[in-house]
Amino acid sequence: MEINETHPFDLAPAEAVRLQETLRKRISLSGDIDEVTLLAGADASYAKGSNEIHAVVVVLRYPDLTVVERVSASIETSFPYIPGLLTFREGPALLEAFRRLRSEPDVIFFDGQGIAHPRGLGIASHMGVLLDRPTVGVAKSLLVGTVTEPGPARGSTSPVLRNGETIGMAVRTKERTKPVYVSVGHRIDLLSAVDLVLATARGYRLPEPTRQAHLFANTVRREGDRGERQTSLPSG
DNA sequence: GCGACAG
DNA sequence: ATCTTGTCGC
């Protein structure tokens, strides 16, 4: 798909922080997604001692969740993992994967935070602005904010608070399983994001787009890019 | 200064 | 995130 804009990623941490504070102002916390037909999950994987990031994007048709396209991109990185600056490590590889994508997903799920971030610009929000697409952050743990344990039933939610403001939602996607933390990335509202996550979490803790991206990213890291393309095309 | 800290 | 085998529970 078309990347709306980009910027240098090889910045010093202090400069990266300044860039986040600027980009943050362009996030939209609402959106009108009249019909979701294609959902995408994006994720990255890498070997312990290596600086090569393997990023992937997997597109699924909604609501059947059939995988219709998978792309990957492996890129060398020098930026280390620093809490709050994850985008500067995984961003370049993810953007290259998106450039190779033919589909135009209606909503994209990312592994990590949306606005539930120290400067309100987690990887889902950052990528959302650069792609100019609706994005959602689906994290397995919290970076900032506080939350009370949601109820035990699947579908239970509990707001993630920060300074009295709701910045995300803890969502129980599966019974007897730790919740995931959903936050708005860009151009979507929190309730719609939570609904989509619950609608696509089928039998596992992680929603299918994210889960499929995880699986494919690991395959690419272990077996390399096999030049895989779409397995089918979206039909009416 | 100390502890916390997405992936 | 990754390194790693088996193991306990649903």
Side-chain angles (χ1 to χ4, degrees):
Chain A
M1 60 181 278
E2 204 75 25
I3 276 57
N4 186 54
E5 66 177 275
T6 187
H7 59 68
F9 280 83
D10 57 335
L11 306 174
E15 299 176 294
V17 166
R18 282 184 49 95
L19 178 54
Q20 289 182 323
E21 291 168 338
T22 297
L23 288 178
R24 155 196 199 173
K25 303 168 186 170
R26 298 173 47 193
I27 296 172
S28 173
L29 304 181
S30 63
D32 51 329
I33 303 162
D34 31 71
E35 188 183 347
V36 176
T37 300
L38 294 179
L39 266 179
D43 190 27
S45 157
Y46 33 91
K48 189 179 183 181
S50 172
N51 280 324
E52 186 176 33
I53 309 283
H54 305 282
V56 309
V57 179
V58 178
V59 180
L60 299 79
R61 183 168 43 203
Y62 183 83
D64 54 284
L65 304 186
T66 303
V67 174
V68 298
E69 183 179 5
R70 303 200 285 190
V71 296
S72 68
S74 299
I75 286 184
E76 196 77 26
T77 305
S78 56
F79 205 97
Y81 168 65
I82 299 175
L85 297 180
L86 176 65
T87 305
F88 292 87
R89 177 171 172 73
E90 303 187 348
L94 285 168
L95 286 178
E96 179 52 33
F98 276 105
R99 286 190 193 94
R100 300 178 181 180
L101 195 68
R102 293 214 293 147
S103 308
E104 290 282 318
D106 299 300
V107 181
I108 306 166
F109 286 4
F110 283 84
D111 246 61
Q113 315 293 343
I115 65 170
H117 174 279
R119 289 164 293 282
L121 193 84
I123 193 164
S125 297
H126 196 144
M127 292 291 105
V129 170
L130 298 188
L131 297 171
D132 192 25
R133 277 274 163 189
T135 61
V136 174
V138 181
K140 297 181 293 299
S141 63
L142 236 38
L143 177 58
V144 295
T146 59
V147 64
T148 57
E149 184 80 4
R154 178 185 185 286
S156 295
T157 63
S158 181
V160 175
L161 305 173
R162 191 191 188 196
N163 303 321
E165 185 183 7
T166 296
I167 59 174
M169 204 75 89
V171 181
R172 185 87 66 191
T173 51
K174 187 180 192 295
E175 287 187 359
R176 306 178 214 77
T177 304
K178 303 184 71 60
V180 294
Y181 303 92
V182 178
S183 59
V184 169
H186 184 50
R187 292 178 51 178
I188 190 171
D189 60 87
L190 182 58
L191 293 186
S192 296
V194 170
D195 284 346
L196 264 183
V197 166
L198 277 172
T200 56
R202 302 183 180 174
Y204 297 88
R205 181 193 183 202
L206 299 178
E208 282 307 299
T210 296
R211 200 175 79 84
Q212 292 300 328
H214 263 303
L215 294 172
F216 187 47
N218 284 326
T219 296
V220 171
R221 170 170 57 81
R222 298 186 319 245
E223 304 177 13
D225 190 332
R226 298 298 172 78
E228 185 152 356
R229 283 300 174 264
Q230 76 256 41
T231 57
S232 65
L233 287 171
S235 60

